[in-house]
Amino acid sequence: MTQKKLNVAVVGATGAVGNQMIACLEESDFPLNGLRLMASARSAGRRLRFKGNDVEVEELTESSFKGVDIAIFSAGGGTSRRFAPAAAKSGCVVVDNSSAWRMDPDVPLVVPEVNPHAIAGYTKKGIIANPNCSTIQMVVALNPIYRKAGIKRIVVATYQAVSGTGKKAVDELFDGTRAMINFLDYKEKVYPHRIAFNCLPHIDKFQENGYTGEEMKMVNETRKILEDDRIAVTATTVRVPVFYGHSEAVNVETRDPLSAEAARALLENAPGVKVVDDPANDVYPMAIDGAGQDMTLVGRLRKDISIENGLDMWVVADNIRKGAATNAVQIAQLLASDYL
Ligand code: A2P
């Protein structure tokens, strides 16, 4: 049976993630009939390359979605809140990369390696949410451990690349670094403090409980994706002067005993995971290896010596690819093969 070919729209096509979504669609074997590219009025008429052809960027409006089967959104929460319902109403399925719909009980939050079955819930609102970048790579690494031994508690600290903030933040790290090494002044525009040669324990807005929005996303989204509200999660999310690739120090307390060796064997066979762990030869995952590829890299895997059932690990992935565009395109592929 030949697979039905679908019309896909990328909303936010001119942004950092949107650009990567176009590249992921180009690399994938997605059964594409036609590709539409949408952004704000500012970009209307611009041309972007896809498979050797120029595709004109259209201004996003509520009537943009006629004939579109899947719309992949990465144009910020406000745009998703405003336009995703209109897109769904016109009959297309929205895969949304913003945080706007993630915690809506009628919207599935999906990481294909972890909870692909949840996609079936898309019929309620016509929207599927793509999780937060830091959450995606953490649950890809923890899912095999969770399935085998259960998880009681997760303590995570992140080391997040500036590309997660968008293109302007990539420029800010570049320009700020250049200014520093030339003894020139540089005034920050994106972050509240200097990001060059610095670490900011501040991603997203501070909340009443002292956590940031990003930290609470990791708490709430992890529970939703693993479908287990008993998992205790605490996170400290930190922006570091790295362009691409998020790193995470993850400490996990399992319900049942699980040795580091058994965890390693599980991870070696887990979808989307690559174990990179040979400390004797200075081999461990690094942001520079995570960037530009689609696997979640896991290393520094060891028993936590401070508790009975604890493991420590270091988890790295490309925040723009697996943390955003790749995951969204994988969801679209599952929709195409199993649902539409
Ligand atoms: P535009 O380039 O026309 O402003 P980034 O996160 O890298 O800044 O990218 C954001 C993306 O979201 C861009 O493609 C941007 O388009 C798009 N976008 C922002 N606001 C809107 C809007 N109101 N309507 C449609 N697209 C938007």
Side-chain angles (χ1 to χ4, degrees):
M1 196 182 81
T2 52
Q3 204 177 348
K4 191 178 156 201
K5 290 202 181 240
L6 302 175
N7 295 318
V8 173
V10 173
V11 178
T14 50
V17 173
N19 257 290
Q20 187 59 52
M21 282 169 172
I22 296 167
C24 287
L25 280 168
E26 195 160 60
E27 289 165 21
S28 77
D29 53 4
F30 189 92
L32 199 64
N33 184 49
L35 179 69
R36 306 254 308 271
L37 302 179
M38 299 169 193
S40 77
R42 291 180 291 274
S43 305
R46 258 186 74 186
R47 289 172 172 276
L48 298 174
R49 297 292 283 177
F50 181 73
K51 294 198 172 172
N53 297 312
D54 279 343
V55 182
E56 191 169 314
V57 177
E58 308 165 39
E59 180 188 353
L60 172 67
T61 68
E62 266 144 25
S63 51
S64 294
F65 297 96
K66 203 162 169 283
V68 175
D69 299 298
I70 300 176
I72 314 180
F73 275 61
S74 190
T79 304
S80 292
R81 262 185 292 274
R82 180 160 164 220
F83 291 97
K89 207 168 164 201
S90 78
C92 89
V93 185
V94 173
V95 180
D96 181 37
N97 189 50
S98 82
S99 60
W101 302 96
R102 288 182 191 149
M103 295 313 295
D104 185 319
D106 291 335
V107 172
L109 182 66
V110 177
V111 179
E113 293 89 340
V114 180
N115 62 338
H117 57 272
I119 289 179
Y122 82 87
T123 50
K124 289 186 195 143
K125 276 211 164 114
I127 303 172
I128 300 171
N130 207 39
N132 165 264
C133 47
S134 306
T135 309
I136 292 177
Q137 67 184 73
M138 185 170 81
V139 296
V140 167
L142 291 184
N143 181 53
I145 292 169
Y146 175 73
R147 305 282 162 215
K148 181 74 183 172
I151 290 179
K152 216 172 179 176
R153 181 170 186 239
I154 300 164
V155 182
V156 56
T158 68
Y159 304 67
Q160 297 184 218
V162 294
S163 51
T165 314
K167 195 178 170 311
K168 288 193 182 97
V170 172
D171 294 342
E172 180 143 310
L173 175 58
F174 186 81
D175 294 342
T177 304
R178 192 168 50 183
M180 287 282 294
I181 59 178
N182 287 296
F183 304 99
L184 299 170
D185 288 333
Y186 179 79
K187 178 87 194 81
E188 297 78 31
K189 299 180 204 85
V190 178
Y191 296 116
H193 304 283
R194 200 179 84 207
I195 185 65
F197 306 100
N198 199 12
C199 298
L200 309 178
H202 175 185
I203 301 183
D204 205 340
K205 294 194 179 76
F206 284 103
Q207 316 222 325
E208 265 179 23
N209 65 0
Y211 284 75
T212 63
E214 184 85 349
E215 288 158 355
M216 292 311 296
K217 285 174 200 165
M218 293 192 79
V219 173
N220 296 323
E221 294 180 22
T222 298
R223 291 180 180 151
K224 181 167 175 177
I225 297 161
L226 292 175
E227 298 166 352
D228 187 345
D229 283 341
R230 295 175 311 162
I231 302 174
V233 185
T234 185
T236 303
T237 56
V238 183
R239 191 70 69 188
V240 298
V242 165
F243 287 107
Y244 294 95
H246 285 358
S247 306
E248 299 176 345
V250 181
N251 175 270
V252 57
E253 183 178 358
T254 53
R255 291 192 180 276
D256 302 326
L258 184 72
S259 69
E261 294 69 35
R264 188 183 318 273
L266 289 170
L267 287 163
E268 272 165 355
N269 290 305
V273 175
K274 186 172 172 200
V275 175
V276 180
D277 200 17
D278 182 11
N281 289 305
D282 303 336
V283 173
Y284 31 73
M286 295 182 290
I288 54 173
D289 303 324
Q293 54 85 56
D294 285 330
M295 302 298 274
T296 294
L297 312 180
V298 182
R300 297 297 322 280
L301 184 60
R302 62 204 188 275
K303 180 168 168 33
D304 169 359
I305 55 172
S306 73
I307 49 169
E308 194 161 337
N309 292 330
L311 294 166
D312 277 299
M313 67 191 80
W314 181 250
V315 179
V316 173
D318 186 319
N319 53 299
I320 300 294
R321 293 184 68 108
K322 184 58 188 167
T326 301
N327 200 73
V329 170
Q330 286 172 330
I331 292 171
Q333 280 178 304
L334 283 175
L335 266 171
S337 63
D338 297 359
Y339 295 92
L340 299 183

